[in-house]
Amino acid sequence: MKSLLFLISFFSLCINALAKEPDFEIELQSGKQYLFSGQVSEASQAADRILKLAESPDDKALAYFFKSQVEFYKSNYTKARELGEKSHALIPADKEIGGFLDYIIKVAKNGERFEEVKTEHFIIRYSHSKDSILVSYAEDVLERVYYEIGLDLESYPSEPVVVEIYPNLESFTLASTLSENDIKTTGVVGICKFNRIMILSPRLLPQGYTWLDTLAHEYTHYLIFLKSGNTVPVWLHEGIAKFEEKRWKEKKRNVINPFYETLLAKALKANNLVPIEKMHPSLGKLSSAYEAQLAFAQVGTIVDFLVKKWGNKSLVDLLNNIKEKNDYKVAIKEVTKKNFADFYNTWIRDLRSRNLKERTPQVKVKELRFEEKRAGSKDQSEDLVELDNAQAKNYTRLGDMLRTRGRLKAATYEYEKALHFDPLSPIILNRLASTLSAYGEYDKAKERLTPLFELHPEYIETYTNLGKIYLEKGNLNKAEEAYTQAISINPFNPEIHIALISIYKKLGRTDLEEFEKKVLNVLLEDDVVTQPYENTNTK
Amino acid sequence: MNTGSEAILDKVLRSLEKKRKRVCLTNGTIEFLLVLCASLGLISLFAHIYSNNLYFSILKTLAIAALFFGFVKFLLPPILKKERKTELAKELERVSPGLGEDTLNAALLMAETQSVKKLGVSKPLVSAHIDKVASRIESLDLSPAVPKEKIRSYSKAIAAVFVLSLTSLIFSPREFHSFLFSTKIFPPTEPYLLELADIKVNYNYPDYTEIPPQEIKGSTGDIKAIKGTNVAFEATPLKLLDRGNLVIEKGHVIPVNSEKGKIKAEFRILSSGSFFVEDKSGKYRSRVFKITMEEDKNPRVNIEHPGGDVIEIDGGEKLEVNYRADDDFGITKLMLAWNTKKGESSRLIKQTKEELKFLEGKFLWELGSVDSDPGETLEVRIKAYDNDTVSGPKIGVSNVIKVKFKNPRKKHEDILIIAEKLLDEFLDILGDEVENARFGNWPLNSDQNSDGDQTPGQSENQSDYSKINISMTKSIQEDLTSKIERSLSSLDKIVGKMRNDDFSDYTYFLELSGMKIRIQDLLDERHDLIPSFLITDLPRLDSLITKEINEFEDDILFLDSMLKGEKLRESLLYGKDTLSKYNELSELLEKLKQNGDETTRKEIAKKIEELRSLMSELTEKLSSISGDIYDGFLNPDAFESIDLQGKLDEIMKLAERGKIDEAVDLLSSLKTGLQSMIASLESGFQSFSSASLSKEINRLNEIISRIGSIEKEQTNLKGRTENLKESFLKSPPKKENLSDFLERERKKIEQLKNMLSETKAKVSPDIPESEIIEGSFLIDRALRKTDELEHWLQALEFEEALKRAKEVEEDTIGLKNLSKLFWEIAKGDREIGKSEGLAREIRQDLENALQGGTRDGQSYQIAKRQDELEKETSQLGNDIGEFQDDSSLIPQIGEKVGESKGFMRGAYDNLKKTEISKAISNQEEAIKTLKKAREETEGLLEKYQLSAKGTGLPVPLVLGNQLQQGTQGVDTGYVEIPAPEESQIGKEFKESILKALKEGSPEGYSELNKRYYDRIIK
C-alpha cells in the first residue's frame, strides 16, 4: 500500500515538474487520479489522450512513462517495459524514470514467463509446472468468490482480474515490493497490488497454507479498491477481507476461531490490543507474526461486529460513504450513528461481553518456514522442532522411533505421554491418530483429531489422517471431503491425490478420477520452471 | 773343364773370406770393449770429482759418446764389411806373388763360363787355368792372408783396462752409479734414494676397538691398520740421517727423530695413501711406503619380528618388535625410525654403556604417539649406531617393515554401530515392556474374557490378579529377561571399547557406565523375581516394569541424542577435511598458474575427485541427521547457498581451458561458502552438545553451589568455635561444660518441682477444691510446664525451654499474688517464694545461654548450628546419591559428603560436651572433605562443559589420569600444592602424630589422628 502511494505520488511529481501544456497537465492529473482510484480502464484511455497531447520530448517522455505505468497495472509487462524504455530514451538523465524502469524490467522478466489460464472473470497465471495444478482448484473457488463476495459488497469487476501465482520467494518479494523479512515475520503470503492478486505458491511451505482462503481474501481487497476508489484505510481493508475470506465455503461469516479467540482473550486481559494507527500502512509491516495475527483478529471482529449489529448493508454503505467522504471516521458515524471512538469502544465491550477464553493457552505464532531442498530423516522427525516442551518432544521422539520399527502400540503409549505435556499439539495428536488408525483403532484416532479442526484448522495432516480413517472405514464421501480440505491447504502432497483417485474410482466418478490422475502425474514429474527466475540487475 | 778345380777354388776362397771376417769382427769387438771399459773407468773416476747430477749427466753423455765412437769405429766396420775379390787377390799376392792375379782371373773365368753369353774364350784353357790356380792355392798356406787376432796380442792390456774400469765403476759414487745405469740422460730432479733397513712398525689401535698394541719387526714399511690407529715407524737409514721428515701423502709432514743411527716417527692413520722418509734437505728420500686404512664396518641390524608385507595395527596398540644387531667393535645405541608423509621420526630403543658387539632383544612400540594420517603406511627400520669415535658412529640400517595404521576412527565407528544396535535393542525391549509385559496387557487365563478396551498402560484389572495367566506371564518375562541380558552385554561391550577409544567422550562414557549399572540393578531384581514367580509377585513385577520403562525411555533418548551428536561431529570432521582439500586445490591452481604443466593439471583433476568424494560423504552424513537437529541447531542458509558439486565441475572446466584466475576466484567463493557451512556445523554441534548435557551441567552446578555454601558455613562455624576456644584459653572454664550446665539446670528444675509439689501439698488439703480452684490450677499448670521445661532442656531446645521457664515463672508470680489474697494459699508462701526464685533463676540461665552471654550459651548456639549444617549436608548427600544413581561414576563425591557429615556429627557431640578442641578438629576435617567433594564435582563439571563445547576429553585420557595418576595426558583435576611451611611443619607434625599413636591418644582423638595421618600421607 505504502509503495503504491509512493509510486503514484512519484509519478505525480514527475508529471507536475515536466508538464508544459495546460491540457496535457490536466489530462495527466486526471489519468493519475484514475490510476490511484483503481479505474484502470479510464486511466488507460487517459494515457492515450495524453500521448496525443504530448508534443515536446519531455511531454512525450512523461506520456510514455504514464502509459507504461498503466500497462503495468494492466499486467502487460512487455508493453510496460517497451513504453518505459521509450520514456527513458527521451530523458535518459532522469534518475526517477530510470529507477522505475529498472523495477519494471525486473518484474517484466518474471512476468513474461507466466503461463495463463483464462476463466470467465479471471486470468490465472503461473510459471512453475507443478503450480499448474493450482489453477483447476483456484478457478472454481475464484468464480464462487466472484459471486458470493460480489453479492456481499455489491461489486463485480467489469474486467477480468489477474491472479498471479509466484513460484519462489524471490520473485514474490520483487513483485509485491515486500521484503523477505516482512513475509517471514508476519506470514504474508498474498497481496493485492498494482491491480492484480499475487500469491506465493503453497508448494513453498512445508505444511502449505490456506491458499484458497488467501485468494478469496485478496479478491476482497480487489473489490474494496474497486468499490471505494482506494479510499478505505488498511485496517478496514484487512477487516473486510478477513471477514469475507471464507465466504466461498461457508455461508456464515465468522471470524472468531479458537486461535483468534485466544489471541483476543489474551490481548483483552493484558489490555494490549494493536492500536488502529499502528496498522498503517500495512499489517505486513507489524513487528511480529503474533502482532499481525492479533491485528487480523481485531479488524476481522470489528467488521463482524459492524455487520452483526447494523446488517450487511452497513458494510456496503460504509464503503460507499468512505468513497464519497474519503474519511472513514465520518463514514462510520454516518452508518452507525456513532463517532469512531464510541464505535471502537462498543466493539471492545462487545468482545468483552463474549467472554472470550484462552482456548489454546500455549498458542504460539511462528514465523513462516519455507520448504528446504533436503531429504527428510527416515523417522520423519523434522517437525519436532515445532514442539516447545522438552518432555513432549522427548516422548514424541520415542513414539516416532517405536513407530518406525513397527511397535505401534508402544508408540501410542509414548504419544499419550507426550500429550500429557502438550495436550493440544497438532503434531502429537496427528502422530497419535495416525498410529492408532494404523492398527485399526479408527474411532479413537478420529476422536483424537476432533479438537484440531477447530483449534488448528490450517494443519493439513489432520485432514489427510482423517481422510485415511474414513477411507479405511469405507466412508468415501467423508474421505473425499477431508482430502478436499487438505487440497485447500497444500495440494502438492501426492498422497492426497492417490487417495482421491481411489475414492473416485470406487465412486465411479471417472471424470474426477482422470483429473486427479493428471494432477498426480504433474506432481510426480521432475520440477520444470519455464526459465530460472533471476533477480537480475541488468536492463 | 774340370769342375773339381772350380769347387776347390771356390771353397778355398770362401773359407778365407770367412776367416778374415771373423778375425776382423773379433778384433773390432775387443777394441770396442776396450773403449767401453776405458770410458766407464774414466767417467767413474771423474765422478768422484763432483757429486752433481748435471756433472753426472755430462759424464754419462761422454761415456755414451765414447761408446758410440767405439762402436762406429771398431765394431760396425767389420760387421758391415763385404770382402771384394780384388782385395782378396791382393792379400793372396802377399802370400805368393802372382797368386792373387791368377786367382782373380780364375774366378772371373769361372763366372764367364757359367754365363750364357759366350766370351769367345776357350773353355779348356779356362779349365786349365782354374785347375792350375786351384792346385796352387790348395797347396799353399794361406794364413798370412788372414789378419792377426788382437785378443792374443792385447790380452793383458785388455784385462788391465777391464779390471781398472770395473774397479773404478764399483767405487764410483752410489748416486752416480744409479744414475749411470738408469735410462735417464738428463740430470734427475728427484732426490736420491734413502735406503732404510730394520724397519719396525708399532700399531696403537683406537681405544674403542679395544685391540692391544702390536709391534711388527722386519716390516716392509707398508702400513695397514684401522682408521685412527697410531703408527710408530722406526728404521735404520743406510745413509746417515740426522734430521728428516716422514712425509705422508698430501703433504702432511711429521719430523723424524734420529737416535743411534735409527730414525723414528709417529703418525695416525686417517686415510689410505703412502708415505716416505726424506732428509731435511730433501736430497735423499726413501722409497714410498703404502698406507692401507682399514674401515670400521657398519653395524648390522635386523628386525626379526614382525614379518610380513604390511602389518596392520590400531593407532592405540603396542607393536612388539624383535631385533638383532652386531658390530665389529661395539654398538652404542639402537633407534627406531619411521617415515610418514610429514617426514622421518625416530625414538631411542636402547642405549648401552658396555658397547656390546652383539645385541638382541625386543621392545613394545606404542603407536599412539606416532603422528600420522589415518590409513597411512609407515616404513619402519631400526638404525644401529656403533662406537666409532674416530669417524663418528657408523650407522647400520635394518630391513624395512611396513606398518599400516588402521583408521583410528574405525574403532569409534564400530562403537557407534553397536550403539545403534543397542538403541534398536532398547526400543524392542521398551516395545515389549509396553505392549506385552506391562500390567493391563498381561495375558489372561483362557477362560477369562480378554476383550479389554484398554489403552496401553491402563491397569483397570490391577486388583483382579486371579484372571492373569501366570505361566504365560512368566514366559513373556523370561523372554524379556533374555533381551535385557543381551542388551546389557552390548552396552558392556560399548563401555569396554570406549575405554580405549580416543574419540569417545568421557561424559558419554560416564553416562553409559551409569546406564549399565542401573540396568544391571534392574536385571538383578528380575533374576530375583522371575525364576520363582508367583501370583503374589504381580505387584512387584508391575513396579519393576514401570521402573524399566522409565529407565529404557531415558536410555533410548540418551543414545539417540548421543548418536545424533556423533553424526554431527562426523559431519564436522568431513567438512574440515573438505576445507583442507580446498586449500590444497587452491595451492595447485596457483601452481598451475605458474607453470601450466600437465602434471599439475592431473593433480588438480585428482584433487577435485577427492573433493567430490568427500562432498558426497558429507552430504550423506548431513542427510542422516534427523530434522530436529538440523532445524534446531544448524543454520540451513549456510547449506543452501553452495552448489558444491556443480561448482567443482566448473572449476575443472576452467582449469582445463586455462582460465586459472577465474577458477581461483570461483574456488575462493566456494571456500567462503564451505567455511560458513563448517562454522554452522561447528556452532550447531556445540549448541547440540550443550543442550544435550545442560541437565547434567545444571545439576552439577547446583551441587557445587550447595557444597560451597555448606563449606562456607562450616568455616564460619569453625571460626566461631575457635573464638570460643580462645575465650576458654583466656579464662579457663570452671570445669563446667554444656553437660554440667544441663545437669545444674536439671537440679534446679528438680528443686522447683519439689517446691511446687510441696506448695500443692500445703495448700490443697484444707481448702475445698471449689474455692481455691484458681490457685490449684496455677500450681498444676506450673508443674506441667516444669515437666515440659525439663523435656526441652534435655532435647537441647533452649528456645522452647525458655518459653516454658517464663510460663512457670509467671505462674509462680501469679501464685504469689494469690497468696496475698487467700490465706490458704499463703500457707505455702515460703515454697511459692522459693519456686518463684528458682523459676526466675532458670529463666535467666536460659536467656544467658541463648544470648551467648555465657560460654555455655555460645557452645549451645554453635552446636545447634552444627546440627543444622549436618542435616543440610545429609540432605545434600541424599540428593547426590540420586544423581549418582543416574551417573554412577561420579568419583566419590557422595562418599566425601558422607564423611563430612560424620565429622559434623562428631563436632556436634564434642560441642555438647564442650570439647572445643575436638570439635574444631572435627570441623576442620569436615571442611576438608567438603572441599575435596567440591573440587571433584568441579572437575567433573569441567569435563561436562568441555563436552558441551564439543571438545570433550577422550575416555582413555581421563581414565589414564584416574588410574595411572597422570602418567599420560593432561590431568585437569585440581591439585593443591602445599606451601613450603606446611611441609616443614608437616614433618614435625607427622612425628608428633606418630608419637601420639604410639603412646596412645586421649579418648576421641586417636581415630581423628589416624585419619589425619592417613590423609597427610596421601
Side-chain angles (χ1 to χ4, degrees), chain B residues 749-815:
Chain B
I749 291 166
E750 198 57 41
Q751 282 175 11
L752 177 62
K753 277 160 80 177
N754 288 339
M755 282 300 118
L756 286 170
S757 299
E758 280 177 28
T759 309
K760 190 176 179 181
K762 279 192 177 175
V763 171
S764 304
D766 305 324
I767 307 298
E769 201 170 312
S770 57
E771 288 182 22
I772 57 161
I773 191 162
E774 200 173 348
S776 178
F777 169 74
L778 279 176
I779 295 166
D780 286 343
R781 198 170 72 174
L783 273 167
R784 200 172 64 247
K785 295 284 177 190
T786 309
D787 284 339
E788 285 177 17
L789 166 64
E790 191 177 19
H791 164 76
W792 287 121
L793 202 61
Q794 278 172 354
L796 285 172
E797 293 290 343
F798 282 18
E799 281 94 349
E800 290 298 324
L802 179 62
K803 274 186 203 168
R804 303 301 180 275
K806 281 178 180 172
E807 286 167 1
V808 174
E809 190 188 0
E810 278 171 19
D811 287 346
T812 54
I813 292 168
L815 275 172

Side-chain angles (χ1 to χ4, degrees), chain A residues 25-90:
Chain A
E25 194 182 341
I26 291 162
E27 279 297 339
L28 201 58
Q29 287 297 338
S30 143
K32 182 200 75 177
Q33 189 53 44
Y34 286 134
L35 206 57
F36 176 75
S37 58
Q39 294 168 280
V40 180
S41 301
E42 288 79 356
S44 183
Q45 287 165 16
D48 292 339
R49 287 197 296 276
I50 291 162
L51 262 178
K52 281 177 190 165
L53 287 169
E55 287 176 356
S56 69
D58 284 359
D59 285 355
K60 279 187 178 171
L62 286 174
Y64 283 133
F65 187 36
F66 181 68
K67 179 76 176 162
S68 161
Q69 185 208 357
V70 171
E71 291 302 327
F72 180 67
Y73 268 61
K74 288 163 80 178
S75 304
N76 296 329
Y77 299 113
T78 311
K79 210 168 179 181
R81 195 194 66 220
E82 286 167 3
L83 288 162
E85 281 166 351
K86 278 185 181 176
S87 167
H88 184 63
L90 287 167

Side-chain angles (χ1 to χ4, degrees), chain A residues 335-346:
Chain A
V335 174
T336 64
K337 311 297 176 203
K338 285 177 184 290
N339 63 35
F340 182 70
D342 285 346
F343 170 77
Y344 188 78
N345 290 332
T346 318

